[in-house]
Amino acid sequence: MIDAEHFRSLLEDERDRILRQMESRRAEIASIEATLRDLHVDDQNPEGASTLFEISQETSLLAHQTELLGEINEALARITDGTYGNCLECRQPIPQDRLEARPWTGYCIDHAIRHRPRTPQH
């Protein structure tokens, strides 16, 4: 039997941590963008290219955190509706150690591979 309150606490703590990081990341992006505007830097000079890369990197991390936040909120909803801890595909219980490692997961190991976000190849 899954200890739903234990996992609710883990998920809420992780959600709060991510929200703080997202707020900090948004402030960092705004600061970098303000620097770009103030210095009239563009992508044609080395400092501009470096700064634009930094914005791109921060924006990418923010997008990842936004996605993770959505997964956490979905997991919290599954706790509320009583479906937490069962694979969304096969409906079988997700092993406890997997839930401890990734409490937001909705899939057992066998089905997680099919639902893993695709990352662009470099």
Side-chain angles (χ1 to χ4, degrees):
M1 183 88 180
I2 295 292
D3 180 356
E5 289 311 308
H6 166 70
F7 286 104
R8 181 186 309 276
S9 178
L10 288 177
L11 289 161
E12 288 173 347
D13 289 349
E14 185 67 8
R15 180 187 59 195
D16 293 345
R17 186 184 70 80
I18 289 171
L19 286 170
R20 285 190 304 274
Q21 285 180 343
M22 290 173 71
E23 182 178 324
S24 175
R25 186 151 279 126
R26 285 186 187 108
E28 180 66 19
I29 291 169
S31 174
I32 295 167
E33 288 173 339
T35 299
L36 276 174
R37 282 190 303 276
D38 293 346
L39 298 175
H40 305 290
V41 175
D42 61 32
D43 62 352
Q44 297 302 311
N45 73 41
E47 185 177 341
S50 173
T51 305
L52 290 172
F53 175 76
E54 190 175 349
I55 289 174
S56 173
Q57 200 170 27
E58 290 293 325
T59 302
S60 177
L61 290 169
L62 184 60
H64 173 73
Q65 288 176 317
T66 301
E67 184 178 313
L68 182 55
L69 185 61
E71 291 179 36
I72 290 169
N73 287 332
E74 289 169 6
L76 287 166
R78 289 192 303 276
I79 288 174
T80 300
D81 71 20
T83 61
Y84 181 82
N86 293 322
C87 178
L88 294 170
E89 189 161 324
C90 68
R91 306 290 185 227
Q92 295 300 308
I94 299 170
Q96 180 88 16
D97 58 342
R98 177 161 171 73
L99 290 173
E100 288 290 342
R102 297 178 58 89
W104 52 85
T105 191
Y107 299 97
C108 66
I109 292 286
D110 292 337
H111 293 113
I113 293 168
R114 283 190 239 177
H115 298 278
R116 183 178 302 151
R118 296 178 189 251
T119 56
Q121 300 297 314
H122 296 279

